[in-house]
Amino acid sequence: MKILIINGPNLNMLGEREANIYGKNTYGDLCARLNDFSNEKNIEIEIFQSAIEGEIVNKIHQYRNYDGLVINPAAYSHYSIAIYDALLIAKIPKIEVHISNVHNRDDFRKNLITAQAVDGIISGLGFKGYELALEYIIATTA
Ligand code: DQA
C-alpha cells in the first residue's frame, strides 16, 4: 500500500513559524515521524511539499499511483478552487489534515474550500493528525 502525503505552502517552515500555534518541531521532524510510522505500519509513503498551487494540482493528478492521499493544503485550503477540483478527480480515500484548529483562529480560516472534496478532515491535533489520517486510509483500504 502506497499513500501520498501532500503539504502546501509554509509547512516546510515548521519549527520557525508561529511555534505557539504549530509547535517547535521542524518539517524534518514531521517527515521523520511519518517515515517511522509508515515503517511500523508496513506501508509505503511518499511525502511531497510545495508552495506552488499548480505543482500541488499536478501531483494530485498522479492519484492512480497511490492507494490514498493525506493532504494539508495549508493556506490554499481556504481559497483554492483548482486544488478542490483536482481533489474531486482523485477517486482514492483522501483526508485533509490541519496541524492547528482552523475553527478557533482567524475567521478566514473557517472558510474551508478543499475540505469539501475530501472524505474527512482532522484539525487541531498537531502532527498526530497525519498519523490518524494514515490509520483511516489503512483501515478503509484493507
Ligand atoms: C494549516 C492551517 C492554515 O490555515 C494555514 O494557512 C497553514 C497551516 C495547519 O496545518 O494548521 O499554513 O493548514
Side-chain angles (χ1 to χ4, degrees):
M1 177 183 306
K2 188 166 180 182
I3 301 176
L4 174 63
I5 301 172
I6 297 179
N7 282 304
N10 300 309
L11 289 168
N12 55 317
M13 302 307 282
L14 289 170
E16 263 185 68
R17 69 183 293 205
E18 302 152 290
N20 56 320
I21 294 171
Y22 298 108
K24 287 189 191 138
N25 291 318
T26 66
Y27 187 64
D29 294 333
L30 172 63
C31 295
R33 179 169 167 169
L34 293 175
N35 283 320
D36 285 349
F37 188 78
S38 67
N39 286 337
E40 267 169 42
K41 298 286 170 187
N42 228 355
I43 58 162
E44 207 182 327
I45 57 168
E46 180 181 325
I47 306 176
F48 176 83
Q49 192 275 328
S50 177
I52 300 167
E53 188 179 25
E55 285 186 359
I56 295 171
V57 167
N58 289 343
K59 194 69 193 170
I60 294 168
H61 289 171
Q62 295 169 15
Y63 76 95
R64 286 180 193 279
N65 299 330
Y66 308 95
D67 301 296
L69 170 66
V70 176
I71 183 165
N72 182 347
Y76 286 136
S77 315
H78 311 299
Y79 67 96
S80 176
I81 294 166
I83 294 175
Y84 166 82
D85 283 343
L87 287 168
L88 288 179
I89 297 165
K91 298 214 172 19
I92 52 174
K94 51 199 165 184
I95 303 293
E96 179 166 310
V97 170
H98 296 283
I99 295 166
S100 66
N101 181 349
V102 289
H103 297 287
N104 68 8
R105 299 181 61 194
D106 321 82
D107 275 349
F108 63 80
R109 292 183 208 279
K110 296 188 178 102
N111 188 35
L112 293 169
I113 298 296
T114 55
Q116 296 174 52
V118 296
D119 302 348
I121 88 163
I122 298 170
S123 181
L125 304 184
F127 288 2
K128 183 76 190 163
Y130 290 84
E131 293 178 353
L132 294 170
L134 290 171
E135 295 257 28
Y136 168 80
I137 292 169
I138 293 166
T140 46
T141 54

